[in-house]
Amino acid sequence: MSAIPDSYFDYPLRGKGYDHDRYTARYLRDLPMFEWDGGDTLKLWVCVHLEHFPMDMPASPVKPIGGMDRPYPSVWDFSTRDYGSRVGIYRLFDVLDRYGIRATAAMNSVLATRYPTLMDDILKRDWEVAAAGVDMGHLHHSQLSEDEEAALVGESFDTLRKVSGQGVTGWHSPAHSQSAATPDLVAEAGAKYICDWINDDMPYAFKTRAGTLTQMPLSYDLSDHKIIGLQNMPIGDYEYQLGAAFDVLRDESRTRGGRILSMSLSPWAIAQPGRIGALERLLSRFMNETGVGSATGEDLRAQWVALGLDG
């Protein structure tokens, strides 16, 4: 067995701090007191995930939450997810409309052409459209060449910009999947923010070879994907966890400075008849609190950048 060569230990980014140059250390405790636009201290960011799960999804590199678990053609899996884009979403529309919440629609681009009525209803509500890849069968990972991945990123942005008429400045990789080049390709496609890294409660500057993106705090820990879809927890536990998170962030926002509570919603999960009531109760409580408002991802990004808190 040969000895490990000295070159194995040569790593140019090794040192104090992080072993990459994407961002520098920023501690939440060091942020100054500030308020969001309108005098709010806590903003709800409602992000609705609109996903298309193809019936012939590949098994590698991984299957995303909600992916096909049965042999092709899995009508059971496919129709469960299709329910979200044709039925569940309209329950979400009703609930969010009641509280005047403009959401971010993190959308697989194939839905923009497969479900034109869905896109029309999103635009009628002046929701923000964010790119979320092509579909859930095309994840972003290191086994793709950079050219292949760039084509997927470009297709997602191009389709959504054309169909929505919006600038589409946000990106959420399907199933939080990334290669080492994904942020660079997203920035090169004209995005302004990305929300795949789940390591903060507030935005921060994220460097790419095409300039600086804002990494937005879209919590996976509080998502219905995780709590309902992955962990199979009852809706009461979901309601408890969102309520508990709200309590902590509301109190922090009043004593330590502005905060964001992201609500990551999937129509095929939270908008089932037996679950939608929990969301209604949560929003009724949240939106009736003093100092609490809502904003889209791009609205929050623009406010954050204007505050200049990333130096």
Side-chain angles (χ1 to χ4, degrees):
M1 183 175 179
S2 60
I4 299 174
D6 291 341
S7 61
Y8 178 85
F9 300 98
D10 292 336
Y11 187 62
L13 294 176
R14 179 173 287 117
K16 293 182 179 180
Y18 299 116
D19 62 348
H20 60 76
D21 58 359
R22 293 294 194 180
Y23 55 86
T24 55
R26 196 283 307 278
Y27 297 96
L28 200 58
R29 68 186 183 196
D30 297 330
L31 287 180
M33 288 286 296
F34 75 93
E35 293 181 347
W36 297 106
D37 287 358
D40 293 328
T41 58
L42 178 62
K43 288 288 193 184
L44 301 186
W45 176 24
V46 175
C47 187
V48 177
H49 297 274
L50 297 169
E51 304 160 320
H52 177 67
F53 293 87
M55 295 186 76
D56 58 349
M57 287 181 64
S60 64
V62 295
K63 285 185 179 180
I65 303 296
M68 304 303 164
D69 292 324
R70 304 181 183 199
Y72 176 86
S74 177
V75 174
W76 186 92
D77 285 310
F78 176 83
S79 58
T80 299
R81 313 317 170 205
D82 178 59
Y83 178 96
S85 299
R86 293 188 305 103
V87 180
I89 185 61
Y90 290 94
R91 290 197 183 100
L92 273 183
F93 282 151
D94 288 345
V95 172
L96 297 176
D97 287 350
R98 274 196 285 279
Y99 297 97
I101 293 174
R102 292 177 56 233
T104 296
M107 196 169 191
N108 289 163
S109 61
V110 298
L111 290 180
T113 52
R114 283 176 175 259
Y115 295 80
T117 300
L118 174 60
M119 178 62 86
D120 289 344
D121 288 327
I122 288 169
L123 297 178
K124 286 176 185 176
R125 289 165 169 78
D126 195 28
W127 282 19
E128 174 197 11
V129 175
V134 172
D135 62 34
M136 301 306 288
H138 289 85
L139 304 185
H140 295 254
H141 52 87
S142 60
Q143 296 172 27
L144 292 174
S145 71
E146 191 164 313
D147 287 344
E148 289 173 321
E149 187 177 9
L152 292 176
V153 172
E155 180 181 350
S156 181
F157 276 111
D158 291 347
T159 299
L160 290 169
R161 285 169 177 158
K162 179 180 179 180
V163 176
S164 71
Q166 296 186 10
V168 187
T169 57
W171 172 269
H172 175 57
S173 297
H176 288 266
S177 60
Q178 276 198 4
S179 75
T182 305
D184 303 308
L185 298 173
V186 168
E188 288 167 356
K192 295 181 180 179
Y193 76 84
I194 194 167
C195 45
D196 293 336
W197 292 47
I198 48 178
N199 56 344
D200 213 309
D201 286 334
M202 294 295 287
Y204 61 88
F206 194 91
K207 299 175 184 176
T208 78
R209 66 192 182 203
T212 300
L213 293 169
T214 300
Q215 186 73 230
M216 293 291 293
L218 184 62
S219 173
Y220 180 62
D221 191 59
L222 295 175
S223 70
D224 56 6
H225 254 188
K226 180 178 180 182
I227 298 172
I228 297 172
L230 178 62
Q231 296 178 323
N232 292 314
M233 298 179 75
I235 191 62
D237 285 3
Y238 172 83
E239 189 172 354
Y240 168 78
Q241 289 191 46
L242 268 291
F246 175 84
D247 290 342
V248 170
L249 292 171
R250 177 204 55 207
D251 293 347
E252 286 184 0
S253 76
R254 293 172 176 173
T255 59
R256 302 180 187 178
R259 292 289 188 266
I260 297 170
L261 171 61
S262 68
M263 298 185 69
S264 191
L265 307 178
S266 305
W268 59 266
I270 193 62
Q272 296 285 343
R275 295 170 180 157
I276 194 68
L279 181 63
E280 174 87 45
R281 290 188 293 272
L282 288 167
L283 292 178
S284 176
R285 178 187 164 209
F286 296 170
M287 297 304 292
N288 281 300
E289 284 261 7
T290 302
V292 177
S294 67
T296 66
E298 174 55 27
D299 288 343
L300 289 168
R301 183 209 66 83
Q303 290 180 48
W304 177 257
V305 171
L307 287 166
L309 298 181
D310 280 323

